[in-house]
Amino acid sequence: MDVRVAGHQVDTGESLRDHAAQRMAEITEKYFSRSVGANVTFGRGPNNDYTCDIVAPVVNGVVLKASHSAREAQLAFNGA
């Protein structure tokens, strides 16, 4: 599975990228065996918090989208 992790005005460290890639692989393996990739984008929210947006095409044109914001980037990802 190809997981692309990007940061919009946020530095995505190695551990955050690894956590996102590992967790997305676990989720798609459990629920969607044919998913080919996902885009995970971290950014800054209006209250100096982190936002996480996930877009993952899974099967036959179905695209899953999730977003969440939290005080820490990893918590924003886990919430999404």
Side-chain angles (χ1 to χ4, degrees), residues 42-53 66-80:
F42 292 96
R44 282 291 195 181
N47 297 324
N48 203 24
D49 55 352
Y50 292 93
T51 61
C52 178
D53 297 315
S67 63
H68 192 70
S69 62
R71 290 281 180 202
E72 296 179 19
Q74 190 168 358
L75 293 175
F77 174 77
N78 290 340

Side-chain angles (χ1 to χ4, degrees), residues 24 39 52-58 61-68 79-80:
M24 288 303 298
N39 293 324
C52 178
D53 297 315
I54 301 172
V55 178
V58 285
V62 176
V63 178
L64 297 178
K65 294 181 180 182
S67 63
H68 192 70

Side-chain angles (χ1 to χ4, degrees), residues 19-31:
H19 175 72
Q22 179 184 7
R23 189 71 179 119
M24 288 303 298
E26 290 171 358
I27 290 170
T28 54
E29 182 180 315
K30 183 175 181 179
Y31 296 107

